[in-house]
Amino acid sequence: MIKDEYWGWVIVFTTFTINLILDGVMYTLGVFYVEFIDYFKTTPGKASTVVSELVIVLVGPVASGFVNKYGCRVVSSVGTIISCVGLLLSLAVPEVEYLYFTIGIITGAGFGLVYLPSVISIPMYLEKNVATAIGISMAGSGIGALIFAPLMAWLVNYYGSWKGAVLIATGLVLNCLVLSLFYHDTIGKKEKDPKENHSDDQNSNDSSERYHLDSLNGAETVQQGNKQNSLKSKRTQKKLSHQSKILVGGPVQFH
């Protein structure tokens, strides 16, 4: 496997920042709970459903298949764009039920696509201290929740509405698009050693020579078989001609 220990620690910092932003935004959506009730004139149950309907976990199996096919960089970048689109659409919804789709499904699905590469990418780069690196990366989730909770509350008070805070959160999430470019999808894939390539070429040459020798031996065997068959046929013809001469000879004399 191709490993890059130095770049691996860059990925640790990258995933730490991604987890800080994503989980910071996700875990502090409860700050908007009261704002949703006041703005949409809705019930507490409907307002709380907006946060509880995030589909991050459900996207995991799909995201893993996309990572195997397209790589961490592409999946994380697309996930960032999808989550930002969901947050921006939330600013124009007329009813709280629309937030189930924009925040719960669209933003949740985008967060899931970004989150999975941040977890599985570290072992692809590092061979040593992998557990420590993953621990540092996952620490971004707790630090993000600690920082973003008072930040979102301050933004709501500053702008006087939840929409200004969500707009700022969208800009922060958009930074994950730049961070996703740090993933290098060629790292972690198998690379053939030149010695292995030389041995493969040598094995292919040996197999071709063996095939050539086998074909020559087969041709010689066929030629020898044809010669033996021709000799047998000649002997058979001589015997038949000799028997025919005996049969065609003079009449039998009786004494």
Side-chain angles (χ1 to χ4, degrees):
M1 304 291 288
I2 308 173
K3 301 287 185 178
D4 191 339
E5 294 290 331
Y6 297 104
W7 192 255
W9 289 105
V10 175
I11 295 300
V12 172
F13 173 76
T14 299
T15 55
F16 170 85
T17 310
I18 289 175
N19 291 328
L20 186 147
I21 295 174
L22 289 188
D23 292 337
V25 172
M26 182 178 63
Y27 292 150
T28 57
L29 287 177
V31 174
F32 305 123
Y33 171 73
V34 176
E35 299 296 324
F36 290 157
I37 295 175
D38 294 338
Y39 182 84
F40 294 107
K41 306 301 179 183
T42 186
T43 62
K46 290 183 179 180
S48 62
T49 306
V50 176
V51 181
S52 62
E53 205 183 38
L54 288 173
V55 294
I56 294 177
V57 178
L58 299 178
V59 181
V62 179
S64 63
F66 286 156
V67 169
N68 291 331
K69 186 173 183 180
Y70 300 107
C72 293
R73 177 185 293 180
V74 174
V75 174
S76 183
S77 300
V78 173
T80 302
I81 295 173
I82 292 174
S83 60
C84 289
V85 169
L87 290 173
L88 290 176
L89 290 176
S90 302
L91 302 177
V93 297
E95 300 291 339
V96 69
E97 286 81 7
Y98 292 96
L99 294 178
Y100 301 163
F101 179 73
T102 57
I103 293 181
I105 296 178
I106 298 179
T107 304
F111 280 178
L113 293 176
V114 179
Y115 182 75
L116 184 69
S118 69
V119 176
I120 67 173
S121 60
I122 294 177
M124 298 170 63
Y125 292 84
L126 296 176
E127 289 182 348
K128 300 178 181 179
N129 301 319
V130 176
T132 303
I134 294 176
I136 295 172
S137 176
M138 293 295 102
S141 300
I143 297 175
L146 183 65
I147 295 174
F148 273 70
L151 176 62
M152 291 295 110
W154 180 81
L155 289 173
V156 171
N157 293 327
Y158 180 80
Y159 289 104
S161 173
W162 62 272
K163 290 186 178 182
V166 170
L167 185 61
I168 297 299
T170 304
L172 294 174
V173 172
L174 192 60
N175 287 291
C176 295
L177 180 61
V178 178
L179 295 172
S180 300
L181 299 179
F182 284 89
Y183 293 123
H184 200 294
D185 293 331
T186 58
I187 295 179
K189 296 181 179 179
K190 290 183 178 179
E191 183 185 56
K192 284 190 175 181
D193 192 4
K195 294 181 179 179
E196 293 181 357
N197 294 329
H198 179 70
S199 62
D200 292 338
D201 295 336
Q202 187 175 2
N203 292 330
S204 61
N205 293 330
D206 293 339
S207 61
S208 61
E209 290 178 358
R210 290 177 183 175
Y211 177 77
H212 182 64
L213 292 174
D214 292 337
S215 61
L216 291 176
N217 293 330
E220 291 178 356
T221 304
V222 171
Q223 290 178 358
Q224 291 177 358
N226 292 331
K227 289 181 180 180
Q228 291 178 359
N229 291 329
S230 63
L231 291 174
K232 289 181 180 179
S233 61
K234 288 180 180 180
R235 292 175 182 174
T236 304
Q237 290 178 358
K238 287 181 180 180
K239 289 181 181 180
L240 292 174
S241 63
H242 181 68
Q243 291 176 359
S244 62
K245 287 180 181 180
I246 294 173
L247 294 173
V248 176
V252 180
Q253 296 179 358
F254 296 95
H255 296 285

PDB file of all heavy atoms in Angstrom, residues 203-217:
ATOM      1  N   ASN A 203       7.984 -13.986 -16.155  1.00  0.00           N
ATOM      2  CA  ASN A 203       7.060 -15.123 -16.142  1.00  0.00           C
ATOM      3  C   ASN A 203       6.283 -15.228 -17.445  1.00  0.00           C
ATOM      4  O   ASN A 203       6.046 -16.325 -17.961  1.00  0.00           O
ATOM      5  CB  ASN A 203       6.092 -14.993 -14.967  1.00  0.00           C
ATOM      6  CG  ASN A 203       6.788 -15.157 -13.631  1.00  0.00           C
ATOM      7  OD1 ASN A 203       7.781 -15.880 -13.540  1.00  0.00           O
ATOM      8  ND2 ASN A 203       6.272 -14.495 -12.600  1.00  0.00           N
ATOM      9  N   SER A 204       5.897 -14.071 -17.992  1.00  0.00           N
ATOM     10  CA  SER A 204       5.173 -14.100 -19.259  1.00  0.00           C
ATOM     11  C   SER A 204       6.065 -14.595 -20.392  1.00  0.00           C
ATOM     12  O   SER A 204       5.636 -15.349 -21.261  1.00  0.00           O
ATOM     13  CB  SER A 204       4.634 -12.712 -19.589  1.00  0.00           C
ATOM     14  OG  SER A 204       5.695 -11.782 -19.731  1.00  0.00           O
ATOM     15  N   ASN A 205       7.366 -14.167 -20.357  1.00  0.00           N
ATOM     16  CA  ASN A 205       8.286 -14.657 -21.387  1.00  0.00           C
ATOM     17  C   ASN A 205       8.514 -16.160 -21.253  1.00  0.00           C
ATOM     18  O   ASN A 205       8.550 -16.879 -22.253  1.00  0.00           O
ATOM     19  CB  ASN A 205       9.624 -13.910 -21.282  1.00  0.00           C
ATOM     20  CG  ASN A 205       9.501 -12.454 -21.644  1.00  0.00           C
ATOM     21  OD1 ASN A 205       8.652 -12.076 -22.474  1.00  0.00           O
ATOM     22  ND2 ASN A 205      10.324 -11.594 -21.034  1.00  0.00           N
ATOM     23  N   ASP A 206       8.681 -16.602 -19.990  1.00  0.00           N
ATOM     24  CA  ASP A 206       8.863 -18.042 -19.781  1.00  0.00           C
ATOM     25  C   ASP A 206       7.656 -18.831 -20.248  1.00  0.00           C
ATOM     26  O   ASP A 206       7.791 -19.896 -20.863  1.00  0.00           O
ATOM     27  CB  ASP A 206       9.118 -18.314 -18.296  1.00  0.00           C
ATOM     28  CG  ASP A 206      10.456 -17.738 -17.834  1.00  0.00           C
ATOM     29  OD1 ASP A 206      11.324 -17.509 -18.715  1.00  0.00           O
ATOM     30  OD2 ASP A 206      10.614 -17.519 -16.621  1.00  0.00           O
ATOM     31  N   SER A 207       6.478 -18.305 -19.969  1.00  0.00           N
ATOM     32  CA  SER A 207       5.275 -19.026 -20.391  1.00  0.00           C
ATOM     33  C   SER A 207       5.159 -19.067 -21.904  1.00  0.00           C
ATOM     34  O   SER A 207       4.746 -20.072 -22.479  1.00  0.00           O
ATOM     35  CB  SER A 207       4.032 -18.364 -19.782  1.00  0.00           C
ATOM     36  OG  SER A 207       3.921 -17.022 -20.222  1.00  0.00           O
ATOM     37  N   SER A 208       5.560 -17.964 -22.569  1.00  0.00           N
ATOM     38  CA  SER A 208       5.500 -17.960 -24.031  1.00  0.00           C
ATOM     39  C   SER A 208       6.514 -18.929 -24.618  1.00  0.00           C
ATOM     40  O   SER A 208       6.232 -19.634 -25.596  1.00  0.00           O
ATOM     41  CB  SER A 208       5.744 -16.544 -24.562  1.00  0.00           C
ATOM     42  OG  SER A 208       7.034 -16.086 -24.185  1.00  0.00           O
ATOM     43  N   GLU A 209       7.728 -18.973 -23.994  1.00  0.00           N
ATOM     44  CA  GLU A 209       8.718 -19.932 -24.483  1.00  0.00           C
ATOM     45  C   GLU A 209       8.242 -21.361 -24.263  1.00  0.00           C
ATOM     46  O   GLU A 209       8.414 -22.229 -25.131  1.00  0.00           O
ATOM     47  CB  GLU A 209      10.045 -19.702 -23.755  1.00  0.00           C
ATOM     48  CG  GLU A 209      10.733 -18.385 -24.155  1.00  0.00           C
ATOM     49  CD  GLU A 209      12.007 -18.174 -23.375  1.00  0.00           C
ATOM     50  OE1 GLU A 209      12.310 -19.027 -22.509  1.00  0.00           O
ATOM     51  OE2 GLU A 209      12.695 -17.166 -23.625  1.00  0.00           O
ATOM     52  N   ARG A 210       7.656 -21.617 -23.123  1.00  0.00           N
ATOM     53  CA  ARG A 210       7.132 -22.960 -22.871  1.00  0.00           C
ATOM     54  C   ARG A 210       6.034 -23.318 -23.860  1.00  0.00           C
ATOM     55  O   ARG A 210       5.975 -24.440 -24.364  1.00  0.00           O
ATOM     56  CB  ARG A 210       6.584 -23.041 -21.450  1.00  0.00           C
ATOM     57  CG  ARG A 210       7.663 -23.003 -20.374  1.00  0.00           C
ATOM     58  CD  ARG A 210       7.043 -23.005 -19.000  1.00  0.00           C
ATOM     59  NE  ARG A 210       8.051 -22.903 -17.956  1.00  0.00           N
ATOM     60  CZ  ARG A 210       7.777 -22.780 -16.656  1.00  0.00           C
ATOM     61  NH1 ARG A 210       6.500 -22.748 -16.256  1.00  0.00           N
ATOM     62  NH2 ARG A 210       8.753 -22.693 -15.779  1.00  0.00           N
ATOM     63  N   TYR A 211       5.183 -22.334 -24.156  1.00  0.00           N
ATOM     64  CA  TYR A 211       4.124 -22.599 -25.138  1.00  0.00           C
ATOM     65  C   TYR A 211       4.711 -22.901 -26.504  1.00  0.00           C
ATOM     66  O   TYR A 211       4.249 -23.791 -27.221  1.00  0.00           O
ATOM     67  CB  TYR A 211       3.194 -21.389 -25.195  1.00  0.00           C
ATOM     68  CG  TYR A 211       2.109 -21.520 -26.229  1.00  0.00           C
ATOM     69  CD1 TYR A 211       0.993 -22.321 -25.995  1.00  0.00           C
ATOM     70  CD2 TYR A 211       2.213 -20.843 -27.444  1.00  0.00           C
ATOM     71  CE1 TYR A 211      -0.001 -22.452 -26.940  1.00  0.00           C
ATOM     72  CE2 TYR A 211       1.223 -20.966 -28.396  1.00  0.00           C
ATOM     73  CZ  TYR A 211       0.108 -21.768 -28.139  1.00  0.00           C
ATOM     74  OH  TYR A 211      -0.868 -21.903 -29.089  1.00  0.00           O
ATOM     75  N   HIS A 212       5.789 -22.148 -26.863  1.00  0.00           N
ATOM     76  CA  HIS A 212       6.421 -22.375 -28.152  1.00  0.00           C
ATOM     77  C   HIS A 212       7.056 -23.767 -28.211  1.00  0.00           C
ATOM     78  O   HIS A 212       6.920 -24.486 -29.206  1.00  0.00           O
ATOM     79  CB  HIS A 212       7.471 -21.295 -28.396  1.00  0.00           C
ATOM     80  CG  HIS A 212       8.158 -21.395 -29.731  1.00  0.00           C
ATOM     81  ND1 HIS A 212       7.490 -21.241 -30.926  1.00  0.00           N
ATOM     82  CD2 HIS A 212       9.454 -21.668 -30.041  1.00  0.00           C
ATOM     83  CE1 HIS A 212       8.342 -21.396 -31.926  1.00  0.00           C
ATOM     84  NE2 HIS A 212       9.539 -21.651 -31.418  1.00  0.00           N
ATOM     85  N   LEU A 213       7.753 -24.134 -27.100  1.00  0.00           N
ATOM     86  CA  LEU A 213       8.358 -25.463 -27.055  1.00  0.00           C
ATOM     87  C   LEU A 213       7.306 -26.554 -27.083  1.00  0.00           C
ATOM     88  O   LEU A 213       7.476 -27.585 -27.768  1.00  0.00           O
ATOM     89  CB  LEU A 213       9.232 -25.593 -25.797  1.00  0.00           C
ATOM     90  CG  LEU A 213      10.502 -24.728 -25.752  1.00  0.00           C
ATOM     91  CD1 LEU A 213      11.168 -24.856 -24.398  1.00  0.00           C
ATOM     92  CD2 LEU A 213      11.464 -25.142 -26.866  1.00  0.00           C
ATOM     93  N   ASP A 214       6.231 -26.350 -26.355  1.00  0.00           N
ATOM     94  CA  ASP A 214       5.159 -27.344 -26.369  1.00  0.00           C
ATOM     95  C   ASP A 214       4.551 -27.495 -27.748  1.00  0.00           C
ATOM     96  O   ASP A 214       4.224 -28.602 -28.188  1.00  0.00           O
ATOM     97  CB  ASP A 214       4.067 -26.949 -25.360  1.00  0.00           C
ATOM     98  CG  ASP A 214       4.558 -27.043 -23.929  1.00  0.00           C
ATOM     99  OD1 ASP A 214       5.534 -27.794 -23.693  1.00  0.00           O
ATOM    100  OD2 ASP A 214       3.967 -26.371 -23.047  1.00  0.00           O
ATOM    101  N   SER A 215       4.415 -26.362 -28.441  1.00  0.00           N
ATOM    102  CA  SER A 215       3.861 -26.447 -29.793  1.00  0.00           C
ATOM    103  C   SER A 215       4.811 -27.183 -30.729  1.00  0.00           C
ATOM    104  O   SER A 215       4.384 -27.980 -31.573  1.00  0.00           O
ATOM    105  CB  SER A 215       3.570 -25.042 -30.327  1.00  0.00           C
ATOM    106  OG  SER A 215       4.766 -24.274 -30.397  1.00  0.00           O
ATOM    107  N   LEU A 216       6.155 -26.920 -30.557  1.00  0.00           N
ATOM    108  CA  LEU A 216       7.111 -27.635 -31.398  1.00  0.00           C
ATOM    109  C   LEU A 216       7.099 -29.127 -31.096  1.00  0.00           C
ATOM    110  O   LEU A 216       7.119 -29.963 -32.014  1.00  0.00           O
ATOM    111  CB  LEU A 216       8.517 -27.059 -31.177  1.00  0.00           C
ATOM    112  CG  LEU A 216       8.749 -25.632 -31.694  1.00  0.00           C
ATOM    113  CD1 LEU A 216      10.149 -25.160 -31.320  1.00  0.00           C
ATOM    114  CD2 LEU A 216       8.559 -25.584 -33.211  1.00  0.00           C
ATOM    115  N   ASN A 217       7.083 -29.456 -29.796  1.00  0.00           N
ATOM    116  CA  ASN A 217       7.024 -30.872 -29.431  1.00  0.00           C
ATOM    117  C   ASN A 217       5.762 -31.522 -29.953  1.00  0.00           C
ATOM    118  O   ASN A 217       5.773 -32.677 -30.412  1.00  0.00           O
ATOM    119  CB  ASN A 217       7.097 -31.013 -27.912  1.00  0.00           C
ATOM    120  CG  ASN A 217       8.452 -30.588 -27.361  1.00  0.00           C
ATOM    121  OD1 ASN A 217       9.480 -30.724 -28.061  1.00  0.00           O
ATOM    122  ND2 ASN A 217       8.472 -30.077 -26.133  1.00  0.00           N
TER     123      ASN A 217
END
